Amino acid sequence: MKNIKHLLTLLVLTVITFSCGDDFLDKYPSDQLSSATFWIDEKDAQAGLIAIYDALQAPTHENPYRGGASWASMGVLADVTPIGFERQSHRLRPVGDGVHSGANIYLSTTWTLGYRGVVRANDFLTNVETIEFTGTAAEQVKNRMKGEAMFLRALNYYWLVELFGDVPIFTGVPTVEDAATPRSPKSEVLKLIKDDLAYAVANLPGRADAEIGRATKGAAMALQVKAALFEGDWATAASVSEDIMNLGDYDLVPDYGNVININNENNEEVIFNVQHVFMNDAEPGSYVEKLYANASSASSGWSFIQPTLWFVDQFERIIENPQEGVDYVNEGGLNSSGEPKIPNEIYEYFEGRDPRMDHTILRPGSHFIDLNDNDILYPHELNGANHSFTGLHMRKYVVPGSGAAVEWDGPLDFIIFRYADILLCHAEAVAMRDGVESVSQDVLDKTINKVRARASELLPKYTAGNITINDIYRERICELGFEGWTLFDMKRSGMIEINNGYQVKGLKVLVNETVEFNPNGIGNVRIFDPAIHYVWPIPSDEIQRSSNALKQNPGYPQ
């Protein structure tokens, strides 16, 4: 099966050929490819389409605003929820603290990246109609490509409306004069999203007939589910998620640890992901893995994304009171005083929980294969254990061993939609549509219980009438933690208001001596004002560029 990664490499060469820099098909492109020199034949259409996929990538490590949120780096959004903490104070940490404004350049970067994808899609859709396609299936091919572009435009508009609320709508390539376009109500943005997705679903192929990495019917349907949940259209979310379940294109990977695994990419659970070409000489590389990585896994591992004890507490105990020598072995050794470097009370806090915790984070007693292929015990053998203010590091999205130890690059693709997510979306939508007390055992067994059984046969099944909506949301946190969806889920459920008055709790690591619960809060006491913080501020530079035609979200300074 073909893979879009090869076309991404060709895209870079195309961009170089036409002397377009980082602003290639940006929001107000001064160097936009002319229809007189480009958009001539099918090869041009293919390059223009791949450029839209390329817009999903995070800023490269050469960009001074790396660390901003994009579809390929949406995991950083965990740091503005109770599950995560950001190591550096000047990026998204102010958003989590509730003290951000439109002057935050990382929010501006997120806005720009969203519109970059929109405008590249618009440029393609405007010009593809003038290109004559050849072959027996010419019209079908053109319609499929248009469906891909519409899916990607919808994906980026969904991103923008989730984060910023009302946003300007562009369906063509805007000029500088269009900077004064006012914001459209989110209902109009959602209508455009739904119209684009209806076309995409009708014209995109199933998983078996698509190139790896390209949009499929299932991907467009998954976005329909997300948009419906955002809108509170529970009936549509329930219906479309069930349709995905009935496609037969997707299934759960049997082992949770193999869902995000360099040796099992593009597996049967992946519905849509952002492809990355590892060690490609034509581009700077992807720093995304390094946001998660620690200094023992790569020389440029940032420990940028740090789990919290609140996150750990979401994982159920399978063993209520784990005992040393029975349920675990204390491997930490003794310190200079002859005491355990990892006290048993620390082990016992983590041991015996839902095993997805250990597939997601590194915690005292964890093993990890470092960049020299050594099996090391966390935390005392980790290089830079104190890089994490919470005393915890990430395992998910960190590739173990020497094969991924390249500075400023990582091999992993980033998953946007996967099947377990859709199963849990279906459980939520049915519960919200019918009332959680009315969810049938059949629905529970096909959705949340199926996801839990994959995690561990020891996790108890939910039974009809004995499940709450918060159980479903907690399951989403455990299953999808640090994959980017927790912020959107917690906003939808109202759980994000936990942030008001919340302060991160973690561990204190005294390297080679001990680990203890940190008695002090980490960072600032957070603020979350429901009248303000459900949406981010419109970037100040965009308001200025619009000559104040763009009005700021309530509660933020214009």
Side-chain angles (χ1 to χ4, degrees), residues 322-340:
Q323 299 296 311
E324 201 275 334
V326 178
D327 303 304
Y328 70 93
V329 175
N330 190 329
E331 300 178 86
L334 303 179
N335 62 19
S336 60
S337 301
E339 299 293 328

Side-chain angles (χ1 to χ4, degrees), residues 370-387:
D370 72 4
L371 56 80
N372 297 311
D373 294 322
N374 296 315
D375 185 341
I376 63 174
L377 183 69
Y378 186 87
H380 297 299
E381 296 177 4
L382 188 80
N383 181 19
N386 286 323
H387 288 178

